[in-house]
Amino acid sequence: MSATDSHIPEVAVVILSWNGRRQLADFLPSVCRSTYPRLKIYLADNASTDDTVAFVRRAFPDVHCLLNDRNYGFAEGYNVALRGVQATYYVLLNQDVEVEPGWLEPMIAFMEQHPQIAACQPKLRSYLQRDYFEYAGAAGGWLDALGYPFCRGRLFYTLEKDVHQYDDPVYLFWASGAALCIRAEVFHAAGGFYAGFFAHMEEIDLCWRLQRMGYRIGYCPQSVVYHLGGGSLPQGNPQKTYLNYRNNLMMMARNLSRGERWRRIPFRMLLDVISIVYGMAHRTPAEMLAILKAHRDFIRWYRKNRRTLPRQTVPLCELQGYYPGSVIWQYFAKSRKFFSDLPIKSRLITLNLQDQ
């Protein structure tokens, strides 16, 4: 390492994997070709039952392997693994992500230029349709008044083609866990991911907490990655439906003040039930049952944890990336299928990218 390099922040790319040998064979080579000068790449293995670890050690000897003693899921899996990783920045990367050459440098420069930003994401495009945005993060995450997450470039299952309409760096509500760049010190100060989620919504919950701590979340469009998606639980899987609905309610309860909880969560649960009735033609019986189970388990969780939930906190309306309306109403009633169609422009804050 040269004297010049010693002034460059250390970055740890950490890929959490469970039985991911096949995907790592396809996607890890692009990560290993990264040109960032002070970079270490880690495989955090969640007790795979295949030969993932042996394969990575043989085919990618420069990748450091961190072995979790069991499958902790996404949230706690990262929490456990990152206790042993020293770096200035963590980049948490899904095992099914291909990166473009030079993808890291813009994100780290972006973070260095904006110390108020605790976490950011690159532009996420689809691996299978490479000129379209990808479901899990697209061009950055927002949240509506009833806790429904959506993205610039993706409303529900409508994915936009990337024609550079979202090439502006902006504040977000949440950055995608598929490719999340975060200050290591801040990750630990915030308590990491909430282990009770197991998987799904953990990055939104973390970003919400970071904003409550006074930080901001950003989007760096100069960095581009391609996400396959659906590797662990595909769309339509009842377990995925269950975790999304349960965890979303838990996330709202964990971050809203008591008054906002009582105003927003009951109405949100009512909409979930209505979605079951109107979704009978599109959902399987197993999916509809998963939503009801999610409500049941949320109520059980709430009764157990209600005394630890915040009484007062930063109002949702004061956070960046918050849409005060209903994305469901805009999408289904007003037929506004693209983020750019939403009445939201006044809430966008574009950041300066000087010297990048």
Side-chain angles (χ1 to χ4, degrees):
M1 182 177 66
S2 68
T4 302
D5 287 347
S6 66
H7 298 288
I8 298 173
E10 291 183 284
V11 174
V13 171
V14 186
I15 302 171
L16 186 71
S17 178
W18 182 77
N19 290 352
R21 183 198 190 283
R22 182 176 300 177
Q23 290 186 335
L24 290 167
D26 292 335
F27 294 96
L28 190 50
S30 71
V31 181
C32 290
R33 289 194 293 269
S34 300
T35 55
Y36 188 83
R38 298 193 71 189
L39 170 66
K40 288 185 179 179
I41 301 171
Y42 294 83
L43 173 76
D45 186 75
N46 247 347
S48 293
T49 57
D50 66 3
D51 65 337
T52 293
V53 175
F55 165 73
V56 170
R57 284 174 169 167
R58 181 177 66 253
F60 305 96
D62 292 333
V63 173
H64 305 265
C65 292
L66 305 169
L67 307 183
N68 291 344
D69 59 353
R70 60 185 173 89
N71 184 4
Y72 289 97
F74 185 97
E76 187 68 356
Y78 265 123
N79 289 345
V80 172
L82 292 176
R83 291 170 192 160
V85 178
Q86 299 294 321
T88 306
Y89 294 99
Y90 296 145
V91 178
L92 311 184
L93 197 68
N94 278 15
Q95 65 186 18
D96 58 351
V97 169
E98 178 187 280
V99 303
E100 283 194 347
W103 68 293
L104 268 177
E105 286 85 347
M107 278 202 297
I108 303 306
F110 178 70
M111 297 289 283
E112 288 287 286
Q113 184 182 340
H114 298 286
Q116 77 277 18
I117 292 179
C120 76
Q121 71 159 76
K123 179 187 291 187
L124 267 75
R125 288 184 184 153
S126 168
Y127 179 74
L128 297 178
Q129 292 182 286
R130 297 176 77 85
D131 53 351
Y132 279 79
F133 288 104
E134 203 277 325
Y135 178 88
W142 282 58
L143 197 78
D144 83 348
L146 295 173
Y148 286 100
F150 60 100
C151 300
R152 304 174 79 213
R154 188 270 295 173
L155 299 187
F156 295 98
Y157 297 110
T158 300
L159 296 170
E160 297 183 43
K161 187 175 183 178
D162 180 12
V163 291
H164 305 289
Q165 70 272 45
Y166 303 122
D167 278 359
D168 50 333
V170 295
Y171 285 136
L172 306 172
F173 193 96
W174 57 274
S176 173
L180 176 67
C181 179
I182 186 166
R183 300 179 192 275
E185 183 179 12
V186 175
F187 178 87
H188 294 293
F193 294 120
Y194 176 55
F197 286 148
F198 187 79
H200 298 295
M201 300 288 165
E202 59 283 305
E203 75 268 51
I204 307 178
D205 174 80
L206 174 60
C207 289
W208 195 337
R209 281 184 282 129
L210 292 174
Q211 287 213 64
R212 288 170 51 198
M213 293 168 64
Y215 292 102
R216 295 290 179 258
I217 313 300
Y219 164 63
C220 180
Q222 290 183 322
S223 176
V224 180
V225 304
Y226 300 88
H227 186 211
L228 177 62
S232 54
L233 290 174
Q235 296 295 338
N237 183 289
Q239 181 66 7
K240 186 183 187 76
T241 301
Y242 167 81
L243 289 171
N244 273 326
Y245 277 80
R246 186 202 64 171
N247 293 358
N248 187 274
L249 293 169
M250 290 164 59
M251 175 186 72
M252 293 175 70
R254 281 170 44 79
N255 289 282
L256 293 171
S257 66
R258 186 172 65 175
E260 284 195 297
R261 283 199 298 273
W262 284 107
R263 288 195 303 272
R264 297 176 191 266
I265 293 179
F267 190 54
R268 168 59 191 270
M269 295 178 74
L270 175 62
L271 283 183
D272 288 350
V273 173
I274 293 173
S275 76
I276 294 176
V277 175
Y278 282 91
M280 285 183 177
H282 307 287
R283 293 185 185 274
T284 66
E287 284 185 275
M288 292 186 283
L289 182 61
I291 297 174
L292 295 176
K293 287 181 177 178
H295 282 199
R296 178 201 66 190
D297 290 350
F298 164 70
I299 293 171
R300 290 175 177 174
W301 174 90
Y302 184 84
R303 287 173 176 168
K304 181 180 178 180
N305 294 278
R306 65 182 183 273
R307 297 185 187 280
T308 66
L309 300 176
R311 295 176 62 88
Q312 298 293 329
T313 186
V314 181
L316 189 56
C317 63
E318 295 182 10
L319 303 182
Q320 301 295 331
Y322 166 69
Y323 172 51
S326 168
V327 71
I328 284 184
W329 174 258
Q330 295 293 335
Y331 187 87
F332 291 102
K334 306 287 284 186
S335 294
R336 290 171 172 164
K337 306 298 185 183
F338 291 173
F339 180 92
S340 55
D341 295 333
L342 299 177
I344 211 168
K345 291 181 180 178
S346 63
R347 301 190 65 88
L348 283 167
I349 298 180
T350 302
L351 301 172
N352 181 22
L353 277 183
Q354 64 185 7
D355 300 327
Q356 293 190 44

